Amino acid sequence: MATSPGSDAAFSTQKSTLSESPQTKKFPLTEEEIFYMNCRAAYLTVFKSSLENIISKEQLYLEKIHLNTNSKCYYKTSQKTINKYWTPQTVKLNFDDFCIILRKEKPTSKAELLKSFKQLDVNDDGSVLHTDLYKLLTKRGEKMTREEVNAIINLADVNADGKFDYIKFCKLYVTTNEKCLKTTLEKLEVDSKLKRQQFGSHIEGPPEWDLSPVPKPSPRITRKTDQETFSNKGDTKSSLLATSRKFKTSVSFTFTMGANSNQNSKLTEPDSLKEWQCVQSKGCFFLEEDGEIISHHYRMQIAQRSIVYLTIKPLNLSQVEGKPSPWLSVDTALYILKENESQANLQLICFTELRNREVFGWTGELGPGIYWLIPSTTGCWLRKEIKPITEEAQLVYRDETGELFLTKEFRSTLSDIFEVIDLDGNGLLSLEEYNFFELRTSGEKCDEDAWAVCRENFRTKKNELTRQGFMDLNLMEANDREGDPRDLWVTLHSMGYNKALELTEACPFIIDIYADKCKPRIKAVHMEGCSGQLEKAICKSVLNKGDAKVMDGYENIIVYTYKHDTWITSVIENKSDNKVIIHINNELSKNCMNSRGLNIFAVEVAPKSTMVCQHVMPLNEQQEWIYYCVYSLIS
C-alpha cells in the first residue's frame, strides 16, 4: 500500500525457526533475545556487521523494505515513517537505535492489509481494478511514482485481466518476509563470526573470563516485569556467562534498595510557605514516535536573593470514576540552571530530588538573576502503548437536521487539552500558549493576522481564547472536513491520546515556585528533547554525585552510577580519541525496569563525550529491588 505495509511485519516471533538451532536447545532464548536476533537479521540484509552505523536516509530506507529477487516483489515503505527517524539533524543511527525503531513501529498484519484493499473491492471478489489501484497509490497517503505502481501491476503472480489480486498479494507479502528473515537467521546460525557479534543471545562453549559475583536473589522479588519475563532455570551465573562475548573488560554495579526507600528523601514544605509569593506554570511531557521525550522549557527570573521552594508533579485532570489516570504515576523532576551572560553558558545549580508521593521538590537559596527550569522524566513509566484498541471513540455526530456536533466524550477530552495548554492557568489561551499547541499538533505557528481572525470568529476575553472558543474552533475544523475526523485524530495523537481517547503517551505536569523575598517570574520559552541542555545537566549531576568505576586497563572509559532512593541513573564518559561500544546487561536486576526498554543492549559513545546510558526504577515500590548491571567494552 502507499501508506506502507512496513517491513516490520517479518518481526513476528520466529520460534519455530529458532528452536531448530542446537544452540537454542541448550540455552532457550527469551522473547527479548528472539526480538534482538530478528533485528540483527534485518540489519545484516544491508550491513556486514551490526557494529556498522546507518549513515544516510537511503540506508535506513533499505533497512525498512524487503526485496525478493525471485518473485520481483517490491514493497514501498512510508517516507513519512523514515522522516520521523531521520531528521535534518540526524548524522547516524546505530544498531541500538534501529532496535528502538522496530519496537516503536507497529507491524502491519495480513489482516490489516486485506482490510485496506477490501475497501476498494467493489465486487467483493478479492481483486481491485488497476485503474482504482493506480488512483489509490498515486493520489492518497504516501504517494507512489508511476514506475513504482507499474512494478506492482506487472507482478505476474497477482495480476490478470486488468485486476490486482490483493488476496494473493497479501499472502505473498507475508510469505516473502518470513523467507527473507529465515534465510538471514540461518546465515547467523552457520557464520561463527556473526555469532560472536550477536550481543544478547547465547553462544556455545565455555566463557573466556569470569564476571563479578552475582548477588543472591531476594525471596521477596519476582522476576516478572512489564517488559518481559526471564527464565530462571538452572544456575543464573552460568546463564549470564553464556551471553558474554569477546569483551576487552567489564565493570559491574550492584545496589539493593529497600521497599518504600523514598522515605529517606522526604520533601517537606518550609514552615512559613503560606507567606511567600508564588507563581505557577503548567507543561507537558510528550512521547515522540521514536521514543524521545520532549517537554516545555522555562525561563525564571529572581529579582533579589531569596529562599526558593520549587516543586513539580503530574497534573491531575478530570478522571473517569474508578479508572486511575496512567500519567499520574510518571516520575517528574526539574533541573535548575543559572544563566551566566548567555543562554549558551548555563551553570547547573540543583535538581528536585526530594519527594513526597508524586511531588518532587527542592528548597534552597538563589541569588538574583535568570534561571532555566528544565523538566525531566526517566522514561521508565512514560513509554509507547502496546495494548490494542478494539473500538475507536466517536468524535462527531449529526442530529436529525444534519447539523454537526462534537460528542460529549470528545468535548471532555478537548476540555482537558485546554487545561494542559493553558500554561498560566488563567482559563484563557494567549497567542503564545496557543502556538505551543499549534507547533505540537501541526508544526506551524499562528501569526498575528490569523490570531486576529480567530478572535473575530470565536469567543475571546481580554484578547485571549476562551474554553468555548477553543471548542468552537475544533467544531469548525470538523465542519471544514464535512465531518471527516482524520485531522482531529492527528491533533489527538499529537497530544498523546489513543483511539479510545485515553491519555497514554503524554504526561501533563504543574510547576509551583515560592520565594520568601520577591515574586518569581516564569515563562515557557520552547519545547525540546533530552539531547540538549537536559542531557548535559543529567550527566553533570551524575558525575558530581555518582559512584565512578574505571574500565580495567582503559582509564579513559568511566562508568558513573548515581543511586537515588527512587531511581538509579548511569552515565558513561569516554575521554579517549576514539568511539567506544559498551554492552550493557541488566538481566539479573530484580523488580526493575529501565528507560531503554531492553535488558540487554549496546550503546556507542563518541570520542571526548559523556552520555546518559539508562535510568532504572523499581517496578513495584512496595517491594525490595536489586540493581545489578554489567558494563562491558566490546572488542
Side-chain angles (χ1 to χ4, degrees), residues 275-295:
E275 301 172 6
W276 295 14
Q277 299 186 68
C278 175
V279 292
Q280 189 179 80
S281 184
K282 289 179 283 188
C284 194
F285 295 112
F286 294 107
L287 187 59
E288 297 284 69
E289 288 297 326
D290 61 358
E292 184 182 18
I293 297 173
I294 67 170
S295 72

Side-chain angles (χ1 to χ4, degrees), residues 102-156:
L102 292 188
R103 279 193 179 278
K104 305 307 175 187
E105 289 300 314
K106 181 182 177 182
T108 302
S109 68
K110 181 180 177 181
E112 289 171 322
L113 286 174
L114 288 171
K115 182 179 178 181
S116 299
F117 282 118
K118 196 171 181 63
Q119 296 174 0
L120 298 177
D121 186 0
V122 294
N123 297 320
D124 196 24
D125 61 356
S127 65
V128 177
L129 291 174
H130 284 171
T131 53
D132 293 339
L133 184 68
Y134 184 84
K135 289 178 183 178
L136 171 70
L137 299 183
T138 61
K139 304 297 183 184
R140 292 169 57 183
E142 288 289 324
K143 300 178 181 63
M144 297 178 70
T145 66
R146 181 183 296 273
E147 291 75 17
E148 289 169 340
V149 178
N150 287 338
I152 293 176
I153 291 177
N154 290 333
L155 294 173

Side-chain angles (χ1 to χ4, degrees), residues 260-308:
N260 295 312
S261 56
N262 60 289
Q263 298 300 319
N264 299 327
S265 57
K266 187 76 171 179
L267 173 67
T268 56
E269 294 182 357
D271 295 334
S272 57
L273 187 66
K274 293 182 180 179
E275 301 172 6
W276 295 14
Q277 299 186 68
C278 175
V279 292
Q280 189 179 80
S281 184
K282 289 179 283 188
C284 194
F285 295 112
F286 294 107
L287 187 59
E288 297 284 69
E289 288 297 326
D290 61 358
E292 184 182 18
I293 297 173
I294 67 170
S295 72
H296 298 77
H297 287 195
Y298 304 83
R299 192 170 182 264
M300 179 180 71
Q301 184 174 3
I302 301 293
Q304 64 184 98
R305 183 171 294 277
S306 301
I307 302 297
V308 176

Side-chain angles (χ1 to χ4, degrees), residues 22 43 55 68 139 155 158 179 203 227-228 271 275 365 404 431 510 514 570 607 616 620 628 631:
Y43 210 77
I55 59 174
N68 185 284
K139 304 297 183 184
L155 294 173
V158 295
K179 286 181 179 178
I203 60 171
Q227 302 165 32
E228 60 275 311
D271 295 334
E275 301 172 6
E365 188 177 55
L404 197 69
L431 175 58
I510 187 165
Y514 297 83
S570 71
V616 179
N620 184 351
Y628 180 78
Y631 298 81

Side-chain angles (χ1 to χ4, degrees), residues 611-623:
M611 69 169 293
V612 176
C613 177
Q614 65 176 344
H615 303 285
V616 179
M617 295 188 72
L619 182 63
N620 184 351
E621 288 189 347
Q622 307 304 315
Q623 297 179 1

Side-chain angles (χ1 to χ4, degrees), residues 47-62:
F47 298 106
K48 294 181 179 179
S49 165
S50 57
L51 302 184
E52 293 185 41
N53 289 317
I54 300 171
I55 59 174
S56 70
K57 182 187 289 189
E58 290 69 29
Q59 286 185 340
L60 180 58
Y61 184 80
L62 286 174

